[in-house]
Amino acid sequence: MPDATDLNRSGEAGGPGDPKARPPTVQVRAPKGTRDAYPEDVLRRRYITQSWRDTAIRHGFEEIEGPTFEHADLYAVKSGEGILGELFQAYSGKDPGEVASVQASGRAPYALRPEFTPSLARMYVAKYGKKADTPVTRWFTAGPYFRAERPQRGRLREFLQWNCDVIGTPEGEAFELTYDTEIFDVTVSMLSAAGLDPESVRLKCNSRRALGDHMLRLGIGPDRHEGALGLIDASSKLSREQFAARARELALPDAFIAQYGSSEGNLVIRLRDTAESVIGRYPSLAGERGKLDEALERSQSRVGVPGTIENRVHVFGLDEWYEFDSRVVRGLAYYTGTVFELIADGERAVAGGGRYDKLIELFGGAPTPACGFGMGDVVLGLLLEDKGLMPEGPALMEAVSRAPASVRPEAFVVTPDESRDDDVIRAVARLRRGVESERSEEEGAKAWDWGARYEPATGGVRPFHARRSDKATRNVGKLFKDALAQHARTFVVLEPDGSATIQDLDRKRKFEKLDVGEGMVRLPAMVASVLDGREPG
Ligand code: HAM
């Protein structure tokens, strides 16, 4: 049934032969929480979806698509009560048995998809079955999703969502954190390519595993963790009293209520924080200056310690964006490790994601660690409009007419030298980001004006599709085969002596021991030259 406010009948009754009678008209408005898109709206949407697609491709993700409706049971496996309570139910209405069953139970066999992760797990298992040791798989998809939420700023009932997931990552904490940070990097790259910066959006992270340990320390057994985390997730919408009452219903201790029941208990630590900046946010900590200095020093010194999240964030160049936030838990039940959200002040999350190491197994696959995120177009659209980052008129037309990212990898970067592994990550990030031209640096080109932003005449280099190998081998011959198997255009070897060798795989030319400069600043321009069939100058 259409919503009563969406349907309005009018007209005059008249006899069959009455020439003055107006035929009855029916005015039907778009359903609540949906959007009509006229030509300019479609271009604005395309500006967002094109940027999603280009970013994912440049980061080595391959596009997949799933159905827009699924068996409703798919979401009962592990998505959690929040999603189940927001399902738009669906059924064909063609089969009398089905109709009778829906009428009797109030539950339809299908649901319009509210999220993609369960479909992704289902599709992955349908393709690989119980096969273990599958290659690391990067999949992305973007399309419409549906949630029967109360429409409000940033939340609608139909929205577009972009998902990027890395599946089948090698086990071990060091690998895990590298892939988690790779996922942070994809979301942040998209936002910064659109002109957003860490002043306006922050990457708020936490770990479900650390939260679990903390719950145990507070005397909360594993059987009560789901309830406790659900309550932390809902805490921003509850008053102190409501929070305490719900916590007592769940038999959670006073220490839990003291820590999570008020905004004071919510600890946010940025990598660049000083004791003063933390005290600015939490005046009550002024008396604990010594302890604070110690804690910040510990966290900042981890930047240099391989195997910590701070170190990974630093290598990926995300220091300015990252912050630890003790209240980030995420509403979905399948997360097992890192959880994160991208949030701008006063807005709902623009993206959220995390690690879900058990979901593929729950759907019948082999144990397969995975992590990913979803980003919606509604909050993103509001942010871009509010900050003057959405092009208009001819600029918008130009922006959506730009050539899409190359699906074929343009550079494949490897090293035989373990001590240069982080340089591979830095080189790949640099190639994907591109180099802003001098003109852009001086005049501040608009984010969408690629002509000025990456103008080669003033030192600019456009962003490339760059990949690294997920194989553990250090054998350059085997890594070369990996580059060929992925159909790369160029093969870049970071040599142990700090130079680089670039091979043009189509024209079969090799440029050895190139001086790429301090911090590999010249590498993007060299790759650009080789791709154009020129000598890397
Ligand atoms: P989620 O946090 O439920 O995560 O949604 C991700 C993003 O989708 C949100 O940050 C928001 O931008 C957008 N979104 C969600 N609901 C709405 C709504 N009603 N209206 C407008 N935008 C909305 C997930 O969906 C996870 N499956 C993401 C994920 C992928 N985790 C791992 N892989």
Side-chain angles (χ1 to χ4, degrees), residues 480-501:
F480 183 74
K481 278 197 188 139
D482 195 15
L484 291 182
Q486 297 192 39
H487 311 293
R489 281 273 285 109
T490 64
F491 182 61
V492 180
V493 182
L494 303 185
E495 306 287 359
D497 65 1
S499 70
T501 295

Side-chain angles (χ1 to χ4, degrees), residues 83 114-118 147 149 154-161 163-165 330 332 334-335 341 349-354 356 371-379:
I83 284 278
E115 59 155 339
F116 187 65
T117 316
R147 294 188 193 181
E149 284 199 51
R155 290 292 178 264
L156 297 173
R157 294 183 147 192
E158 183 187 30
F159 55 97
L160 298 176
Q161 200 193 59
N163 283 256
C164 291
D165 292 86
R330 309 265 305 131
L332 296 152
Y334 43 69
Y335 293 118
E341 287 191 332
V350 62
Y356 48 99
C371 57
F373 73 88
M375 181 187 288
D377 72 318
V378 182
V379 175

Side-chain angles (χ1 to χ4, degrees), residues 231-499:
L231 191 52
I232 300 174
D233 186 50
S235 63
S236 61
K237 294 177 214 128
L238 301 173
S239 70
R240 236 172 229 246
E241 292 71 32
Q242 286 169 323
F243 184 92
R246 294 265 293 271
R248 292 208 181 88
E249 276 167 30
L250 294 166
L252 298 169
D254 288 346
F256 175 87
I257 299 175
Q259 185 170 356
Y260 294 103
S262 73
S263 53
E264 285 278 283
N266 182 30
L267 195 60
V268 174
I269 301 285
R270 298 173 189 150
L271 263 181
R272 296 280 163 89
D273 258 332
T274 59
E276 283 74 28
S277 60
V278 179
I279 292 167
R281 291 199 298 280
Y282 310 101
S284 65
L285 292 181
E288 310 207 29
R289 187 111 203 187
K291 264 204 226 159
L292 210 54
D293 278 330
E294 222 176 89
L296 287 173
E297 203 185 310
R298 220 179 20 246
S299 133
Q300 279 150 10
S301 67
R302 278 200 290 262
V303 160
V305 182
T308 63
I309 186 76
E310 289 85 354
N311 173 264
R312 295 294 86 194
V313 162
H314 181 65
V315 169
F316 276 87
L318 304 176
D319 305 39
E320 304 280 345
W321 297 80
Y322 173 85
E323 61 188 33
F324 165 80
D325 187 325
S326 65
R327 199 79 57 97
V328 168
V329 189
R330 309 265 305 131
L332 296 152
Y334 43 69
Y335 293 118
T336 53
T338 297
V339 277
F340 73 99
E341 287 191 332
L342 278 131
I343 301 195
D345 283 342
E347 298 287 357
R348 279 154 200 292
V350 62
R355 173 162 288 279
Y356 48 99
D357 283 349
K358 301 276 177 253
L359 194 66
I360 308 262
E361 208 176 334
L362 264 176
F363 277 96
T368 309
C371 57
F373 73 88
M375 181 187 288
D377 72 318
V378 182
V379 175
L380 181 60
L382 291 171
L383 285 178
L384 296 182
E385 300 274 353
D386 285 357
K387 303 207 176 290
L389 293 170
M390 177 60 83
E392 285 170 20
L396 178 57
M397 290 171 165
E398 292 285 351
V400 298
S401 306
R402 195 167 55 220
S406 162
V407 173
R408 188 170 172 204
E410 294 170 298
F412 196 91
V413 186
V414 306
T415 186
D417 178 3
E418 193 174 343
S419 74
R420 299 208 68 190
D421 280 352
D422 286 347
D423 279 341
V424 170
I425 289 175
R426 291 188 187 100
V428 165
R430 188 172 276 281
L431 291 164
R432 287 170 179 163
R433 205 177 299 134
V435 179
E436 303 244 344
S437 68
E438 275 162 34
R439 173 149 84 103
S440 171
E441 301 262 304
E442 278 159 24
E443 296 169 17
K446 298 285 187 197
W448 57 81
D449 182 2
W450 275 37
R453 197 172 173 187
Y454 303 112
E455 186 181 69
T458 61
V461 183
R462 68 169 174 87
F464 291 121
H465 172 175
R467 293 188 182 186
R468 65 187 174 95
S469 180
D470 293 296
K471 300 209 181 296
T473 179
R474 314 229 146 254
N475 179 314
V476 176
K478 287 189 181 154
L479 293 167
F480 183 74
K481 278 197 188 139
D482 195 15
L484 291 182
Q486 297 192 39
H487 311 293
R489 281 273 285 109
T490 64
F491 182 61
V492 180
V493 182
L494 303 185
E495 306 287 359
D497 65 1
S499 70

